[in-house]
Amino acid sequence: MIAAAVVSAALLQGCSTRLLPPPSGVDQEVYFDANWRTKVNGGAGEQTETFNIVAQDDTLALVTSRGALYELAQANGQQVKHLETGYRPSAGVSRDGDTLFFGTFDGELVAASLAEQKVLWTQSLTSEILSETGNGEGRVAVQTGDGWLTVMDAATGKTLWRDKEDIPALTVRGTSAPIIESGKVITGFASGKVKAYNLRTGDQIWEYSVGKPEGRYEIERLTDISGRLVFENGLIYSVAYNGTLTALAPQTGRPVWQRNISSAVGVDVKGNELTIIDQDNVVYALNARNGSTLWQNDSLKERDLASPVFYKEYVAVLDRGGWIHLLNRTTGEVEAWTLADSKRPAGSRMVSNDEQLFILTPTANVTALHYW
């Protein structure tokens, strides 16, 4: 049981699940539509930021809200492997080789093998799991909604160590997924702190406060790091609600650069570019090396946006009406849009392999989109 009250990231970003009309006043520069759709058993649940798709090599891996695991071919959506686990996932999937990991509302971490067509092990934790796990170096790291970080042996599920972070009375419904890198596990907490630990011993190496609680009321003092941490360019990129966007040195935790941009959703980084959507639904592109602004676009402020993703020459953003918008990576102008699913709005976090854009919709379709 989680003692703290929670609010959703969608609510904090001003989001709703209402149907929105198509964008107006913008001419489409390219034709943007579905390339293929594959029906699966279960959709993306009710929280857009919770479920995901993992693109690796030439396949996609995902878990649905009904606990069905899939591996699909990226080229045409053909089913490669499928396993019904019988569990009720509360968050998306992570992948380490052939093993897939996901958490449940009952606080169970599930490890399954599609090749062996079975659940390998489960581990009961202290509360529901609201993000993917971090994987690497023979370990799996997971954060639960009550502030516990647990590191386990990836092969057996045996708990190796854990640490507790005190969480505020009111938090965003969601947690940051840990990152395992170079003998460290790094994660962000609802307290607004990013912490790094020795992966083997659990000893804390450093911490840095990205969120800075200010204001009279609890909702004004929310500082959660609920968006994904990103490790790229030798830096850790983190953003907090009512906090800052910060690039940290993973060795020391010292900020390399920082911007007064806050968000309840994550960032995407590709090469020297970073894109983020702030809590007012303004889309930014920044120089990932120094944080300087390349462009910003506030034309979608009323459309309630989810996490952005780089896709070829564009930044793709999903609104809560289910429309996916393509913003030119150079100018920031909206040049195309399409519905992810005509029957129901929103969907999972998107992922791109540069050739296509993939999303799991609430109506149980995995959809690949492309433009020409």
Side-chain angles (χ1 to χ4, degrees):
M1 177 68 70
I2 302 175
V6 294
V7 293
S8 72
L11 176 62
L12 289 173
Q13 293 282 117
C15 301
S16 70
T17 56
R18 68 185 186 276
L19 289 171
L20 295 176
S24 60
V26 179
D27 294 328
Q28 298 224 52
E29 300 294 329
V30 295
Y31 186 73
F32 182 40
D33 204 358
N35 190 27
W36 55 257
R37 282 191 174 93
T38 296
K39 195 72 175 177
V40 292
N41 179 24
E46 299 300 323
Q47 295 291 328
T48 298
E49 290 299 311
T50 302
F51 282 77
N52 68 324
I53 296 174
V54 177
Q56 181 175 303
D57 299 325
D58 57 355
T59 63
L60 304 172
L62 64 135
V63 66
T64 72
S65 58
R66 293 181 179 176
L69 288 168
Y70 287 89
E71 187 176 48
L72 306 177
Q74 292 182 16
N76 54 21
Q78 183 176 351
Q79 180 178 301
V80 179
K81 295 170 186 171
H82 169 222
L83 175 65
E84 296 287 337
T85 68
Y87 290 90
R88 190 167 66 101
S90 54
V93 70
S94 62
R95 183 171 191 169
D96 188 4
D98 178 62
T99 305
L100 301 179
F101 302 87
F102 66 89
T104 74
F105 288 102
D106 296 323
E108 291 180 286
L109 182 63
V110 180
S113 169
L114 286 175
E116 298 180 38
Q117 286 290 289
K118 67 179 184 180
V119 171
L120 300 175
W121 53 260
T122 64
Q123 178 67 269
S124 295
L125 300 174
T126 52
S127 73
E128 64 182 330
I129 299 165
L130 299 174
S131 69
E132 309 95 83
T133 64
N135 304 90
E137 303 179 37
R139 302 290 187 264
V140 55
V142 62
Q143 189 185 154
T144 48
D146 56 358
W148 280 101
L149 171 68
T150 304
V151 172
M152 291 162 279
D153 184 287
T156 65
K158 178 183 177 181
T159 297
L160 302 176
W161 59 264
R162 61 184 192 144
D163 189 56
K164 177 75 163 64
E165 175 72 8
D166 292 333
I167 61 175
L170 183 67
T171 68
V172 178
R173 183 178 176 80
T175 58
S176 174
I179 292 175
I180 293 177
E181 180 65 34
S182 301
K184 300 182 186 69
V185 56
I186 304 172
T187 195
F189 291 98
S191 61
K193 295 178 181 177
V194 180
K195 291 187 176 184
Y197 300 83
N198 183 295
L199 179 61
R200 300 294 168 179
T201 66
D203 294 333
Q204 184 178 315
I205 301 171
W206 55 258
E207 70 174 59
Y208 185 82
S209 292
V210 176
K212 304 184 186 302
E214 296 178 351
R216 179 178 178 182
Y217 302 104
E218 290 293 340
I219 198 164
E220 295 175 318
R221 296 175 60 81
L222 285 170
T223 59
D224 295 61
I225 303 172
S226 56
R228 294 176 304 122
L229 300 182
V230 174
F231 178 75
E232 192 71 34
N233 301 322
L235 298 172
I236 297 290
Y237 297 93
S238 177
V239 65
Y241 188 79
N242 286 335
T244 60
L245 168 63
T246 306
L248 298 169
Q251 298 84 4
T252 63
R254 294 177 181 173
V256 175
W257 59 260
Q258 192 169 64
R259 291 287 304 271
N260 288 321
I261 299 174
S262 59
S263 178
V265 298
V267 306
D268 194 23
V269 180
K270 189 167 186 178
N272 291 330
E273 296 173 77
L274 178 150
T275 182
I276 183 173
I277 296 168
D278 74 7
Q279 61 197 53
D280 294 319
N281 288 297
V282 178
V283 186
Y284 288 84
L286 307 179
N287 184 310
R289 301 286 184 178
N290 58 30
S292 61
T293 299
L294 302 176
W295 52 259
Q296 66 186 72
N297 185 322
D298 63 0
S299 68
L300 303 173
K301 287 183 69 173
E302 305 303 320
R303 303 196 69 89
D304 308 333
L305 305 177
S307 293
V309 61
F310 285 109
Y311 167 52
K312 299 178 79 170
E313 295 88 3
Y314 292 96
V315 171
V317 297
L318 172 71
D319 70 32
R320 289 316 197 280
W323 295 92
I324 299 175
H325 309 260
L326 296 185
L327 283 67
N328 185 294
R329 278 175 66 174
T330 302
T331 66
E333 297 299 317
V334 177
E335 294 190 352
W337 62 87
T338 193
L339 275 174
D341 190 319
S342 61
K343 296 180 181 178
R344 193 175 175 191
S348 69
R349 292 201 311 269
M350 298 180 291
V351 66
S352 169
N353 67 353
D354 277 341
E355 295 303 317
Q356 298 181 100
L357 190 65
F358 305 101
I359 187 170
L360 171 64
T361 70
T363 54
N365 283 308
V366 179
T367 301
L369 301 116
H370 69 157
Y371 72 86
W372 61 93

